[in-house]
Amino acid sequence: MVTVAVDTRHEEVHKAVLDGLVAFNTAAMGGDGGRQPVSISVRDGDVIVGGAVGRYWHGWVYVDLFWVRDDLRGRDIGSRVMDELEGHACSLGARGVHLTTYSWQARPFYEKRGYRVFGEISPYPEGHACYWLSKTL
């Protein structure tokens, strides 16, 4: 019998859904599209103090996560991370990069780098907005 319910075993559910979706997409697209992880780190010695995490798939890099420790902001480290990420994306043959940000985060930073908003949800959360941005390389 098939059931549908909230499940507290998040990691197990995440893995099963991701594996199923990747298999479905691979079959539908006739290959995995070169799917591979993309990680850029900012380190202070052995400690990671920032970076970006995403994935390349079918000619685009999606940035899942991007963060720089508070005391390092305003020192062009974020720009260096994005330069490295975009350079790596180009080396993979990517046509562009896309990402999500919120009104309290870094939309102006991305727009200065040539990213353009292609979607928005507002209010999300209440009093704020969520934006999808992309940049062709």
Side-chain angles (χ1 to χ4, degrees), residues 21-120:
L21 183 59
V22 167
F24 176 82
N25 288 341
T26 298
M29 298 298 293
D32 70 359
R35 182 183 172 88
Q36 61 183 286
V38 172
S39 297
I40 309 298
S41 67
V42 178
R43 293 178 182 265
D44 184 357
D46 291 335
V47 178
I48 296 174
V49 295
V53 176
R55 61 190 173 274
Y56 172 87
W57 190 59
H58 286 286
W60 283 79
V61 168
Y62 177 71
V63 180
D64 288 301
L65 304 167
F66 177 43
W67 166 77
V68 174
R69 196 172 67 193
D70 289 351
D71 65 309
L72 299 174
R73 294 184 185 160
R75 296 169 51 184
D76 289 328
I77 293 172
S79 292
R80 290 169 50 199
V81 170
M82 291 306 292
D83 288 345
E84 193 71 25
L85 183 134
E86 292 169 6
H88 183 62
C90 286
S91 76
L92 296 171
R95 291 184 296 278
V97 176
H98 62 111
L99 52 87
T100 304
T101 194
Y102 293 88
S103 54
W104 69 87
Q105 291 180 326
R107 178 180 169 183
F109 167 79
Y110 295 118
E111 289 178 323
K112 285 179 191 173
R113 296 190 56 83
Y115 287 77
R116 300 288 175 248
V117 173
F118 68 86
E120 175 182 345

